[in-house]
Coordinates of all heavy atoms in Angstrom, one line a residue:
R312 N 25.2 3.2 11.8 CA 25.6 2.2 10.8 C 26.6 1.1 11.3 O 27.3 1.4 12.3 CB 26.3 3.1 9.7 CG 25.4 3.9 8.9 CD 26.2 4.5 7.8 NE 27.5 5.1 8.2 CZ 28.5 5.6 7.4 NH1 28.3 5.5 6.1 NH2 29.5 6.2 8.1
R314 N 29.3 0.2 10.6 CA 30.8 0.5 10.4 C 31.3 1.4 11.6 O 32.4 1.5 11.9 CB 31.1 1.2 9.2 CG 30.5 2.5 9.1 CD 30.9 3.2 7.6 NE 30.3 2.4 6.5 CZ 30.6 2.8 5.2 NH1 31.4 3.8 4.9 NH2 30.0 2.1 4.2
A562 N 39.9 1.4 8.7 CA 38.6 1.4 8.0 C 38.8 1.3 6.6 O 39.9 1.8 6.0 CB 37.9 2.8 8.3
G563 N 37.9 0.7 5.9 CA 37.8 0.6 4.5 C 37.4 1.7 3.9 O 37.3 2.8 4.5
S564 N 37.1 1.6 2.6 CA 36.5 2.8 1.8 C 35.2 3.3 2.4 O 34.3 2.5 2.9 CB 36.2 2.4 0.4 OG 35.5 3.4 -0.4
A565 N 35.0 4.6 2.4 CA 33.9 5.3 2.9 C 32.7 5.1 1.9 O 31.4 5.4 2.3 CB 34.2 6.7 3.4
A566 N 32.9 4.6 0.7 CA 31.9 4.5 -0.2 C 31.1 3.3 0.0 O 31.5 2.4 0.8 CB 32.6 4.4 -1.6
G567 N 29.9 3.2 -0.7 CA 29.1 2.0 -0.6 C 28.2 2.1 0.6 O 28.1 3.1 1.4
I568 N 27.3 1.0 0.7 CA 26.3 1.1 1.7 C 26.6 -0.2 2.7 O 27.0 -1.1 2.2 CB 24.9 0.9 1.1 CG1 23.8 1.2 2.2 CG2 24.7 -0.4 0.4 CD1 22.4 1.3 1.6
D569 N 26.3 0.1 4.0 CA 26.6 -1.0 5.0 C 25.5 -2.0 4.9 O 24.2 -1.6 4.8 CB 26.6 -0.4 6.4 CG 27.9 0.2 6.6 OD1 28.7 0.5 5.6 OD2 28.2 0.7 7.8
T682 N 30.1 -4.5 3.4 CA 30.1 -3.1 2.7 C 29.6 -3.6 1.3 O 30.3 -4.4 0.7 CB 31.3 -2.3 2.7 OG1 31.6 -2.1 4.1 CG2 31.0 -1.1 1.9

Side-chain angles (χ1 to χ4, degrees):
R312 292 185 306 174
R314 69 179 68 181
S564 171
I568 191 169
D569 286 10
T682 300

